[in-house]
């Protein structure tokens, strides 16, 4: 942008040289008049571009995926994967929560708009700022019971994906399995936030949000885990 602006300025035609001689007094007056005009003119602040608004949580339909994907089957399969790991660790099964599905979907939509995944909400500098993310949930109507200093967590992933078949459910399921396998691969490692979310004994429910970016040939995936939701009503005022 700077180079383009510089190019435009250097292409401005030079002023023509006056044919009649200018006396020192005339030059002084011309200089003073020019100075006055510049002083009186107001300099406008640069206009900041405003990002496109993100969908609000209750504007997202229950199945925000292409018609050739059976979202209920995809969600059930993911839940089975999570619960298989929990059963192996002697933990009760997760239940599926529609409000967490909606919050997860809106964050996947945000990732699509950004073109990359992260946990950063507006005003957040740290990669994962618990307080700011907590406020984000509160603004969407969700608050969680604090159990042993655990309330919620968020896992995110993306992968290349493209399908134009009549039924793409199996292909999408295979694609998101790569994300799940990555989470599971953290088992036994010193840093394992995604695997720890799956086997956290305090969390009882999850929501899975998937958004497809056809143009980029990707999917964006978010999983929200939570303890008991203590706020009254649902994220959509139900």
């Amino acid at each position: 942008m700077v180079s383009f602006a510089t190019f435009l300025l250097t292409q401005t035609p030079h002023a023509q040289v006056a044919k009649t001689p200018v006396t020192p007094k005339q030059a002084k007056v011309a200089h003073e008049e020019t100075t006055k005009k510049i002083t009186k003119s107001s300099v406008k602040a640069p206009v900041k571009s405003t990002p496109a608004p993100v969908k609000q949580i209750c504007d997202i339909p229950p199945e925000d995926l292409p018609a050739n994907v059976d979202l209920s089957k995809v969600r059930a399969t993911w839940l089975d994967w999570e619960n298989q790991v929990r059963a192996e660790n002697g933990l009760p099964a997760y239940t599926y929560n529609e409000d967490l599905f909606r919050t997860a979907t809106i964050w996947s939509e945000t990732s699509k708009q950004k073109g990359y995944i992260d946990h950063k909400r507006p005003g957040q500098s740290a990669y994962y700022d618990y307080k700011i993310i907590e406020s984000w949930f509160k603004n969407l109507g969700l608050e969680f019971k604090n159990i042993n200093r655990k309330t919620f967590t968020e896992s995110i992933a993306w992968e290349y994906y493209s399908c134009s078949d009549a039924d793409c459910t199996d292909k999408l399921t295979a694609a998101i399995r790569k994300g799940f396998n990555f989470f599971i691969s953290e088992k036994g490692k010193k840093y394992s936030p995604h695997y720890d979310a799956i086997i956290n004994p305090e969390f009882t429910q999850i929501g899975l949000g998937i958004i497809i970016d056809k143009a980029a040939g990707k999917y964006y995936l978010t999983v929200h885990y939570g303890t008991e939701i203590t706020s009254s009503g649902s994220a959509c005022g139900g």
Side-chain angles (χ1 to χ4, degrees):
M1 192 66 186
V2 173
S3 299
F4 183 63
T6 303
F7 172 78
L8 289 179
L9 288 173
T10 56
Q11 297 303 306
T12 303
H14 295 291
Q16 293 184 352
V17 178
K19 294 181 180 180
T20 55
V22 179
T23 65
K25 183 177 181 180
Q26 290 175 322
K28 182 179 179 181
V29 172
H31 173 73
E32 289 176 349
E33 290 298 321
T34 302
T35 303
K36 288 179 181 178
K37 290 181 180 179
I38 294 175
T39 303
K40 291 180 180 179
S41 64
S42 58
V43 180
K44 294 184 179 180
V47 178
K48 295 182 179 180
S49 59
T50 303
V54 176
K55 285 184 180 179
Q56 293 304 305
I57 189 169
C58 295
D59 293 335
I60 297 175
E63 298 194 6
D64 200 22
L65 280 177
N68 60 357
V69 173
D70 184 345
L71 178 59
S72 61
K73 184 177 179 181
V74 173
R75 293 195 299 180
T77 301
W78 184 279
L79 185 62
D80 285 344
W81 294 340
E82 297 257 359
N83 285 333
Q84 287 171 15
V85 177
R86 287 179 71 81
E88 292 168 2
N89 288 272
L91 296 169
Y94 277 136
T95 58
Y96 203 85
N97 182 280
E98 289 298 320
D99 285 329
L100 294 181
F101 155 60
R102 289 182 178 275
T103 58
T105 302
I106 194 173
W107 194 246
S108 291
E109 174 67 24
T110 302
S111 299
K112 175 186 173 183
Q113 292 188 15
K114 290 181 176 181
Y116 59 88
I117 58 172
D118 67 9
H119 300 283
K120 293 183 178 180
R121 272 63 177 175
Q124 183 176 327
S125 57
Y127 183 70
Y128 196 101
D129 190 314
Y130 174 83
K131 287 295 184 184
I132 291 181
I133 299 175
E134 180 183 41
S135 295
W136 182 83
F137 274 110
K138 284 183 178 180
N139 289 338
L140 295 174
L142 297 185
E143 296 181 57
F144 303 85
K145 184 176 182 179
N146 190 321
I147 303 176
N148 296 324
R149 301 183 67 183
K150 298 292 190 299
T151 51
F152 64 82
T153 196
E154 174 179 273
S155 293
I156 52 179
W158 74 271
E159 184 60 65
Y160 289 112
Y161 165 81
S162 179
C163 179
S164 57
D165 297 346
D167 187 345
C168 291
T169 303
D170 290 342
K171 285 188 176 180
L172 179 60
T173 301
I176 66 172
R177 179 71 200 199
K178 295 178 182 179
F180 187 80
N181 287 344
F182 173 77
F183 295 165
I184 297 300
S185 71
E186 295 177 345
K187 181 179 179 179
K189 295 182 179 179
K190 186 176 181 180
Y191 182 70
S192 54
H194 306 95
Y195 180 74
D196 292 346
I198 295 172
I199 63 168
N200 191 300
E202 315 301 351
F203 297 145
T204 59
Q205 49 194 338
I206 68 170
L208 172 70
I210 305 171
I211 293 291
I212 306 299
D213 187 342
K214 291 183 179 180
K218 298 177 181 179
Y219 74 76
Y220 293 95
L221 177 149
T222 303
V223 189
H224 281 160
Y225 301 82
T227 59
E228 176 187 348
I229 294 177
T230 58
S231 49
S232 59
S234 71
C236 292

